Amino acid sequence: MTYEIICAGFGGQGVMLIGELLAYGGMLEGKNVTWFPSYGPEMRGGTANCSVVISDQPVGSPIVSEPDGLIAMNGPSFEKFKGTVKPGGAIVYNSSMIETAPVIPGLKMLPVPTNDIASELGNNKVANMVALGAFIGLTKIITLASAEKALEQVLPERHHKLIPLNVAALEKGMALVK
Amino acid sequence: MQKVFGYPRSLTPKRTHYCPGCTHGIIHRLIAEAIDDLGIQEQTVGIAPVGCAVLAYEYFDVDFQEAAHGRAPAVATGIKRVHPEAIVFSYQGDGDLASIGTAEIIHAAARGENITVIFINNTVYGMTGGQMAPTTLPGQKTTTSPYGRDITKVGYPIRVCEMLATLDGPAYIERVSVHDPKHIIKAGRAIRKAFEMQIAGKGFSLVEVLSTCPTNWGLTPVKALERLKEEMIPYYPLGVFRSTEEVAKE
Amino acid sequence: MPTKRITIITGAFGSGKTEVAVNYTQLLKRAGHNVGLVDLDIVNPYFRSRELTDFLKAHGIEVVSTQPGLEMADLPALSPRIFAFLQNEELRVVFDVGGYPVGAKTLGRFEPYFRAEAYDLWLVVNPYRPGYDDPEEISKLAQAIEAASRLRLTGIVDNANLGRETDRQSREEGSKVVEEAARMLNLPVVLKTYTAEELITPADRDRAANNLFPLQLFMRPPWEEVTGELREI
Amino acid sequence: MERVMMKGNEALAEGAIRAGCRFFFGYPITPQNEIPEYMARRMPEVNGVFIQAESEVSAINMVYGAGGAGGRALTSSSSPGISLKQEGISYLAGAQVPCVIVNVARGGPGLGGLTPSQSDYFQATKGGGHGDYHLIVYAPGTGQEMVDLIGLAFDKAEEYRNPVMILTDAIMGQMMEPVILPPIREVTTEKPWATTGKKGRAKPNLINSLGIIGEDLARINIELQEKYRKIETNEIRYEADGTGDADLIVVAYGTTSRVARSAINMLRAEGKKVGLLRPITLWPFPKQILADLAAQGKRFLVVEMSVGQLVEDVILAVNDRAKVDFFGKLNGTVPTVREVYNTINALLQKGGA
């Protein structure tokens, strides 16, 4: 089984980080994984994205062009990638910033008001974690425990005091999935 | 009876290829004497340039590396960083050091790299047949300045000691000459001083030696020494341009 | 032809100096002299007489140029043995000097020897080389060489040729240019080279002062290397 | 041993340190900056040397000095910077100084772009500078190979006294993958030729590429060529995946081998017989395996991010015994899995060799 994900949004929304957490989480579960950042002029164009591949087999291309799952944190990235998701795939999108999203037949689509939930938690910066929690809940691609463990490895030591807040955000997001 | 004069241990017995009357031989000897006096033959690594002294490694009985044109200070940096206890010196001509290798010499000096550079300035490219050097004097005829160096077209010679002395990195910079015995003795002292600075870990040291090229100047060796004295020294004044410590009076 | 102990062969780059110098040592050798050839060409590391060192040595002509072993090195390392040549009164010395403008300058360092002793300084001219097809230009070259070497020219060598393309007509047309230049400089044409009998005109043969100089070509590219013996001429 | 996620560039840097490299000389250029930045942080922790040189030219000459003095020295750069280093690389080859050079390639010619490219293949495998010489060239295909091959590179550089290049690109350099890092090794290689100061030796040591006297240059070149033949005999590495029963074999290295692998996996899931031949050493080139596969009637597709450089070596290796097709992407763009999938499918449908 190979699962390919694109995480996309504005620079500063922490999309690279949630991609890393997915990759690390997959690695901690013994899977083969790759994480690849968007590269080139796009990096300076207001949107940032990364590709993550989680697989039981050796990973081929680290660059994902037809993902199984998409996390879109803003309008431009939703527009850019929504048409690339494979049939049967999943989209988690940030409904705090994407007010109207078309329903795409054959896809599981979950709107998540990530900024609103993050604000409720007292820190707008964890909006990305809310989205990731929802994505994990929707796709079950890694466990919540793996994502939490990955946080310890990905966040630099000096930010470890923020782990409980991040975990709370992950759990809030996950709770949105019935 | 005490032996007061002999063949330096740090030179090989090999005859040099230099033209008769060329001052490279004198300078080689001064370096070898300094190495002998300081007892550093077993720990010295030299770097030969591209230029007339390209075969310098044949004449010194110490470890050597042959560098690409102008790159000797970078090569010296690599060696010194691997063996900080080694005494590393480069031997470079004016084309090598002051033209193609300007970046390397300036940055080695700026880093205060703990190496010694012996810079031979004879105002001409000797090896390739007498072309204009960065140190060629205004009006001087060479094969690529056949009407005399025209400063309005090709600019001015570079005074390397003065230029490098503006940097904070170097520990010791002196210009010497080898046109007569008195100055040869002085040049020997400067070279020794430069090595002493390196041994003491003070940082970058450079001795510029004003030198002759009878062949490409088209002068007899004696006339060439006269030219050095009368034309070069006024443009390239002798002296210590930078020293981070008082030079001991001898 | 009365000639001096020291003969300095000079000329523009590519004028055929080396061929003339090497052939001239042959001529002297056959006349019974001890001969030494000094290669002062620090200009061009290719096609220099030092490449013929072993070949000439086998024919009794000593060549001195750079330090032994450095013949193909691009190092202008003149051998001190040049002085030994100059000091040996028994030896006819032929200098093969590098092309103008640099080559002649190298002579400067031997100036005292040339002053002390009479010498010949010959200018080899091939008017088919670019820039030298005009007597005026050849005169300018002669003056420049005199200035650079601080010596006086004593003769002109007419080496007009188009290489393998030379025929009797081109040989004669070239000679006219050289002779005109020689007149302007008030110098004799001491040698007139030819590489094949058919290039010589009857007028040449009849001329009272026979200056005809047969040239055997040595400085060939590697794909045309000298393999045979010296030809008897 | 624990797996950690590392960017390719970081994996190269840490892999070098684990392999005993203690001397790094470099100059900033995108997209390899993670390497000098990592080294600037890491070298002081292991008592190593990091110098940001004044130019790529100086950096490679520092490597020459350090390598010639017996140190395990590394430099890294990207395409335009590697061009500048070619002078020094030729000298390193001529003087037989061991060292490792990393090229995280980007698009060219000239200033080119920052996007990934494989257009430095010729430069890397055919010498690159003046003279008859070769580098050993490794092309890692995974993060783990970044670590493993740079360690091997130092060992082979010293075994053969030859510079070794790691040729990779911006994608491999930026991609994060789990790697297992080996423990730090102590390097104990004897280097009796190194310039350390004579230290009681009877004769001084000399690091030199000058062959100006007599027949020296011919002798040096004969010696080098003998060494290269030995390397060709002993050091060829490649990965052959499913080539045995394949009708069509994709030849690709580094990034494009990863893209090709994904496409091949899709085609195999449909029952198609497609294999992958991935050269790990670009020089020495795995000629024989290609010749053997050609003799078995296979056809080949070369996938590159260039106008076609590797493909020339493949054509030479199969020597008219097999059909060789080429799929290349220019402008610094990366072939997509779908494009490679479609290309292979089209070739399979055309059939015949």
Side-chain angles (χ1 to χ4, degrees):
Chain A
M1 198 272 305
T2 297
Y3 197 86
E4 300 182 326
I5 306 147
I6 288 177
C7 308
F10 286 130
Q13 279 185 311
V15 293
M16 297 296 181
L17 178 64
I18 55 177
E20 279 190 66
L21 291 172
L22 282 165
Y24 264 89
M27 179 185 80
L28 292 170
E29 292 176 12
K31 306 273 179 52
N32 295 308
V33 299
T34 59
W35 174 92
F36 179 74
S38 67
Y39 194 75
E42 307 178 324
M43 276 177 85
R44 293 169 191 97
T47 69
N49 72 80
C50 63
S51 301
V52 176
V53 182
I54 300 173
S55 179
D56 301 326
Q57 301 153 328
V59 179
S61 175
I63 306 158
V64 174
S65 45
E66 297 169 27
D68 300 288
L70 169 68
I71 301 175
M73 291 296 287
N74 67 357
S77 44
F78 179 77
E79 287 304 315
K80 183 171 176 182
F81 294 112
K82 67 174 201 263
T84 65
V85 182
K86 278 187 200 143
I91 299 178
V92 166
Y93 65 93
N94 180 8
S95 58
S96 301
M97 301 186 87
I98 305 162
E99 283 167 13
T100 53
V103 174
I104 303 168
L107 298 185
K108 285 186 271 185
M109 294 185 67
L110 179 63
V112 180
T114 63
N115 298 77
D116 304 308
I117 295 171
S119 297
E120 284 167 27
L121 287 167
N123 191 333
N124 205 13
K125 280 196 173 159
V126 294
N128 58 341
M129 293 298 152
V130 177
L132 178 61
F135 186 79
I136 291 170
L138 186 67
T139 63
K140 311 278 188 297
I141 185 63
I142 59 170
T143 66
L144 187 65
S146 300
E148 289 177 7
K149 221 169 145 197
L151 271 170
E152 288 170 28
Q153 298 202 1
V154 174
L155 290 182
E157 199 85 39
R158 63 183 191 280
H159 290 155
H160 276 196
K161 59 181 188 294
L162 296 172
I163 289 178
L165 174 66
N166 282 280
V167 170
L170 281 170
E171 285 169 350
K172 275 267 187 192
M174 196 160 182
L176 294 172
V177 184
K178 269 94 211 164
Chain B
M1 202 161 62
Q2 197 197 350
K3 186 173 170 187
V4 293
F5 190 77
Y7 195 78
R9 282 191 310 282
S10 300
L11 288 182
T12 64
K14 196 172 166 80
R15 281 279 200 85
T16 72
H17 69 278
Y18 301 115
C19 302
C22 172
T23 44
H24 271 306
I26 297 170
I27 302 161
H28 281 21
R29 187 181 173 108
L30 294 177
I31 293 168
E33 285 173 352
I35 292 171
D36 286 357
D37 288 353
L38 296 166
I40 53 172
Q41 183 184 5
E42 299 298 312
Q43 66 198 91
T44 296
V45 183
I47 297 107
V50 171
C52 275
V54 69
L55 297 174
Y57 55 78
E58 301 247 351
Y59 311 132
F60 287 99
D61 190 14
V62 301
D63 280 7
F64 246 83
Q65 293 200 17
E66 171 62 51
H69 198 28
R71 317 299 177 215
V75 172
T77 300
I79 299 168
K80 188 71 180 183
R81 295 301 179 116
V82 172
H83 299 296
E85 75 293 349
I87 301 304
V88 180
F89 80 94
S90 73
Y91 188 99
Q92 302 176 257
D94 40 32
D96 188 88
L97 180 141
S99 190
I100 196 167
T102 36
E104 284 78 5
I105 193 66
I106 287 174
H107 287 274
R111 277 196 304 273
E113 204 68 47
N114 193 22
I115 57 170
T116 298
V117 176
I118 309 298
F119 167 43
I120 313 301
N121 177 1
N122 63 8
T123 73
V124 78
Y125 280 74
M127 181 194 212
T128 44
Q131 293 84 1
M132 186 177 77
T135 51
T136 291
L137 293 173
Q140 184 181 338
K141 285 185 180 169
T142 69
T143 63
T144 50
S145 58
Y147 309 107
R149 180 176 187 148
D150 180 353
I151 50 167
T152 65
K153 296 201 177 92
V154 301
Y156 293 86
I158 295 176
R159 293 189 183 95
V160 168
C161 288
E162 287 85 338
M163 177 176 71
L164 295 180
T166 64
L167 300 171
D168 293 332
Y172 185 73
I173 294 179
E174 180 169 359
R175 183 184 289 124
V176 296
S177 170
V178 288
H179 66 276
D180 64 26
K182 192 182 110 201
H183 283 86
I184 290 171
I185 291 167
K186 238 180 147 188
R189 279 199 209 119
I191 289 168
R192 190 187 153 129
K193 181 79 206 165
F195 278 119
E196 283 171 352
M197 295 299 258
Q198 184 181 163
I199 292 165
K202 301 279 182 195
F204 184 86
S205 56
L206 177 141
V207 178
E208 174 174 343
V209 186
L210 300 185
S211 180
T212 66
C213 183
T215 300
N216 284 301
W217 290 359
L219 295 174
T220 66
V222 173
K223 286 238 175 75
L225 292 171
E226 282 167 18
R227 174 183 181 261
L228 192 171
K229 185 179 163 203
E230 281 155 22
E231 293 177 35
M232 282 181 72
I233 293 177
Y235 203 93
Y236 297 111
L238 307 181
V240 176
F241 289 84
R242 192 175 164 82
S243 177
T244 50
E245 67 173 36
E246 256 328 292
V247 184
K249 294 271 176 287
E250 289 183 55
Chain C
M1 177 173 55
T3 52
K4 312 279 172 34
R5 188 174 84 81
I6 297 172
T7 312
I8 305 160
I9 314 277
T10 179
F13 176 72
S15 59
K17 294 177 304 295
T18 298
E19 295 289 8
V20 171
V22 170
N23 278 271
Y24 190 61
T25 60
Q26 310 288 314
L27 189 84
L28 293 170
K29 188 73 197 168
R30 278 194 298 277
H33 296 289
N34 290 327
V35 188
L37 175 63
V38 179
D39 176 2
L40 269 191
D41 191 349
I42 62 165
V43 181
N44 177 2
Y46 307 104
F47 302 108
R48 295 188 286 203
S49 54
R50 68 190 72 160
E51 290 171 44
L52 289 172
T53 301
D54 293 339
F55 185 75
L56 289 169
K57 209 169 170 182
H59 292 84
I61 293 157
E62 235 195 306
V63 181
V64 59
S65 58
T66 180
Q67 300 282 9
L70 290 176
E71 287 82 359
M72 276 313 287
D74 188 13
L75 282 168
L78 299 181
S79 169
R81 283 181 58 239
I82 297 170
F83 294 105
F85 271 34
L86 288 168
Q87 285 157 13
N88 181 353
E89 305 266 324
E90 304 299 310
L91 195 71
R92 294 293 300 255
V93 184
V94 178
F95 274 81
D96 173 15
V97 181
Y100 171 78
V102 214
K105 198 170 180 178
T106 320
L107 290 167
R109 59 173 301 140
F110 305 106
E111 191 193 357
Y113 292 92
F114 302 139
R115 287 240 174 99
E117 174 156 14
Y119 61 87
D120 275 319
L121 176 63
W122 291 347
L123 180 70
V124 179
V125 180
N126 179 4
Y128 291 109
R129 290 282 301 165
Y132 300 107
D133 57 350
D134 176 82
E136 287 280 352
E137 292 302 319
I138 297 166
S139 297
K140 269 193 211 154
L141 169 67
Q143 285 153 14
I145 282 183
E146 289 188 332
S149 63
R150 282 169 277 158
L151 302 172
R152 306 296 302 172
L153 281 167
T154 62
I156 303 289
V157 177
D158 172 8
N159 190 38
N161 74 87
L162 283 166
R164 293 166 165 276
E165 311 288 311
T166 316
D167 57 19
R168 193 185 275 198
Q169 192 192 343
S170 57
R171 184 71 193 81
E172 278 319 293
E173 280 170 11
S175 277
K176 278 181 199 147
V177 179
V178 179
E179 278 159 17
E180 177 58 27
R183 258 193 299 282
M184 286 170 68
L185 289 161
N186 199 22
L187 288 170
V189 177
V190 286
L191 300 176
K192 179 173 180 178
T193 64
Y194 67 96
T195 50
E197 291 292 331
E198 55 270 24
L199 295 176
I200 306 171
T201 62
D204 279 326
R205 291 198 190 285
D206 297 343
R207 196 165 298 168
N210 188 351
N211 59 358
L212 286 176
F213 186 62
L215 213 56
Q216 184 184 354
L217 298 182
F218 292 103
M219 308 312 292
R220 294 170 187 274
W223 54 93
E224 286 181 18
E225 266 176 15
V226 182
T227 48
E229 274 297 288
L230 278 179
R231 190 176 63 189
E232 284 308 318
I233 39 180
Chain D
M1 269 186 282
E2 209 189 340
R3 295 202 301 169
V4 288
M5 289 283 280
M6 287 188 104
K7 277 195 173 192
N9 285 337
E10 295 168 346
L12 282 171
E14 185 60 32
I17 284 172
R18 302 278 168 135
C21 167
R22 290 296 174 273
F23 305 96
F24 180 89
F25 309 98
Y27 187 84
I29 181 171
T30 306
Q32 59 86 55
N33 293 323
E34 287 90 352
I35 299 176
E37 285 163 6
Y38 191 94
M39 287 303 198
R41 265 196 325 271
R42 189 78 170 95
M43 276 299 188
E45 296 174 356
V46 292
N47 291 324
V49 169
F50 165 84
I51 295 184
Q52 179 169 326
E54 57 270 24
S55 69
E56 281 94 347
V57 178
S58 290
I60 194 71
N61 281 285
M62 289 174 185
V63 165
Y64 178 96
R72 281 204 154 176
L74 172 70
T75 186
S76 72
S77 193
S78 180
S79 310
I82 295 292
S83 294
L84 275 169
K85 287 186 198 290
Q86 287 300 351
E87 174 198 66
I89 294 172
S90 174
Y91 280 71
L92 283 154
Q96 304 202 56
V97 175
C99 72
V100 177
I101 302 142
V102 171
N103 182 0
V104 185
R106 55 190 251 188
L111 199 49
L114 306 182
T115 44
S117 172
Q118 293 180 326
S119 53
D120 289 359
Y121 177 89
F122 284 156
Q123 192 198 43
T125 59
K126 312 293 178 190
H130 59 285
D132 278 329
Y133 71 90
H134 280 291
L135 312 180
I136 299 172
V137 184
Y138 292 113
T142 63
Q144 189 62 50
E145 277 189 355
M146 291 285 210
V147 176
D148 297 343
L149 289 177
I150 201 164
L152 184 72
F154 279 105
D155 293 341
K156 293 299 172 189
E158 287 173 5
E159 182 180 340
Y160 292 101
R161 285 191 62 185
N162 205 64
V164 178
M165 179 173 277
I166 305 280
L167 180 62
T168 183
D169 64 56
I171 290 179
M172 296 299 299
Q174 299 296 321
M175 176 184 72
M176 259 203 288
E177 235 175 355
V179 296
I180 296 170
L181 292 168
I184 288 190
R185 332 183 226 155
E186 284 297 316
V187 182
T188 50
T189 326
E190 288 288 316
K191 293 171 183 169
W193 44 264
T195 55
T196 57
K198 275 174 71 185
K199 297 195 171 155
R201 262 184 273 114
K203 287 189 82 176
N205 282 343
L206 173 66
I207 297 296
N208 187 20
S209 64
L210 183 67
I212 207 165
I213 299 169
E215 305 297 317
D216 279 2
L217 191 56
R219 182 185 52 72
I220 290 168
N221 271 304
I222 289 166
E223 195 182 312
L224 287 177
Q225 292 305 317
E226 282 168 358
K227 177 169 85 175
Y228 300 147
R229 296 296 86 76
K230 207 164 126 196
I231 294 171
E232 284 184 317
T233 308
N234 299 328
E235 300 303 333
I236 288 173
R237 281 164 195 261
Y238 59 86
E239 179 196 351
D241 177 8
T243 51
D245 70 340
D247 300 321
L248 181 145
I249 294 167
V250 178
V251 187
Y253 68 94
T255 293
T256 47
S257 74
R258 300 288 298 254
V259 176
R261 192 187 297 277
S262 291
I264 290 165
N265 287 342
M266 286 164 68
L267 288 152
R268 281 184 186 155
E270 298 167 12
K272 308 227 165 89
K273 288 180 178 169
V274 186
L276 176 68
L277 195 285
R278 176 172 72 93
I280 296 171
T281 50
L282 299 182
W283 197 91
F285 189 69
K287 282 184 249 185
Q288 195 54 50
I289 178 72
L290 283 162
D292 293 347
L293 290 167
Q296 292 164 28
K298 313 288 186 191
R299 63 183 299 174
F300 298 91
L301 170 68
V302 180
V303 181
E304 282 181 82
M305 291 187 289
S306 80
V307 74
Q309 300 192 12
L310 166 68
V311 67
E312 292 197 4
D313 277 343
V314 175
I315 288 167
L316 283 169
V318 308
N319 195 15
D320 277 349
R321 277 169 297 203
K323 178 107 174 66
V324 179
D325 283 288
F326 171 70
F327 180 75
K329 288 287 272 195
L330 304 184
N331 311 321
T333 53
V334 185
T336 64
V337 174
R338 183 66 61 185
E339 284 171 330
V340 177
Y341 170 92
N342 288 342
T343 305
I344 297 171
N345 242 341
L347 287 170
L348 289 173
Q349 270 158 30
K350 261 198 287 177

